[in-house]
Amino acid sequence: MKRRLVVAGLALAVAACQQGIPPEALQLDSESLQRRQLQTRVFDTTDETALLQAGAGVMQDLGFSLDESETDLGVIVASKTRSARESGQMANAIIMAVLLGVDVPTDDQQKIRLAFVTTPLEGDRTSTRVTFQRIVWNDRGDVSRQEFLGEPGLYQEFYDKLSQSVFLTANAI
């Protein structure tokens, strides 16, 4: 009996290993292209260092602190911490506490992370990509959400400021 269980367990393990990566795991969804277009801009320059310096300046102008920088790889990561408290969520928690006597956790703090990456392209051009994510902690100190931020205004503001900085630097203004 014990031998049959071992053989059955081995057969299940071999069967599980033969499945490999499901084909749909490597396919992008329909929104991936839109997100990538929102996050990416191409500049007519080969000077990645100048783009990274301009990007770092924009991040600091937007209130971010630089966390990591690897200029040889064209990567800068920055973050800022802000309150995540929302009046509607607080009102719901109070109502639940009064009516049901239940202590509902509410969002307390959030860390917004920004990653900026440059990639050289053919034809004296450089691609840049910026992504925004946030991690939200509730009032109990637990992570309540982790998500990408996809509001077009965030990306537009970043790239407007980056374009201005690149233009001013290129023209020594």
Side-chain angles (χ1 to χ4, degrees):
M1 181 68 177
K2 187 175 180 181
R3 185 174 182 184
R4 286 183 185 175
L5 288 175
V6 170
V7 171
L10 287 174
L12 283 173
V14 170
C17 292
Q18 291 180 347
Q19 290 185 357
I21 299 172
E24 65 273 5
L26 301 176
Q27 294 179 355
L28 300 175
D29 62 19
S30 61
E31 295 176 5
S32 294
L33 179 60
Q34 291 176 338
R35 271 195 310 265
R36 186 171 292 261
Q37 288 175 339
L38 184 69
Q39 298 168 344
T40 306
R41 298 286 188 280
V42 175
F43 290 87
D44 292 328
T45 182
T46 58
D47 193 351
E48 280 189 78
T49 302
L51 279 174
L52 288 167
Q53 288 173 345
V58 170
M59 290 178 206
Q60 291 173 331
D61 289 347
L62 294 174
F64 286 87
S65 298
L66 302 181
D67 296 334
E68 300 173 40
S69 173
E70 188 58 56
T71 54
D72 292 340
L73 299 176
V75 178
I76 298 176
V77 177
S79 66
K80 63 181 175 182
T81 302
R82 296 288 186 263
S83 172
R85 294 185 181 147
E86 296 176 6
S87 58
Q89 192 180 47
M90 299 292 287
N92 286 339
I94 292 171
I95 291 170
M96 294 291 284
V98 170
L99 294 179
L100 304 174
V102 178
D103 182 23
V104 178
T106 58
D107 292 339
D108 186 38
Q109 292 289 318
Q110 63 181 331
K111 179 180 263 189
I112 301 169
R113 293 191 58 154
L114 182 159
F116 180 66
V117 178
T118 60
T119 306
L121 301 174
E122 292 181 15
D124 297 337
R125 300 180 317 149
T126 303
S127 173
T128 63
R129 184 173 183 193
V130 64
T131 57
F132 291 88
Q133 307 95 31
R134 77 174 182 161
I135 302 170
V136 179
W137 288 269
N138 63 26
D139 55 2
R140 295 180 182 165
D142 298 326
V143 173
S144 62
R145 277 183 283 166
Q146 295 184 49
E147 59 191 3
F148 284 97
L149 299 177
E151 293 91 25
L154 283 173
Y155 297 91
Q156 189 64 45
E157 181 182 8
F158 180 86
Y159 277 116
D160 286 348
K161 290 181 185 263
L162 182 65
S163 296
Q164 290 172 357
S165 177
V166 169
F167 176 79
L168 294 173
T169 302
N171 293 299
I173 298 176

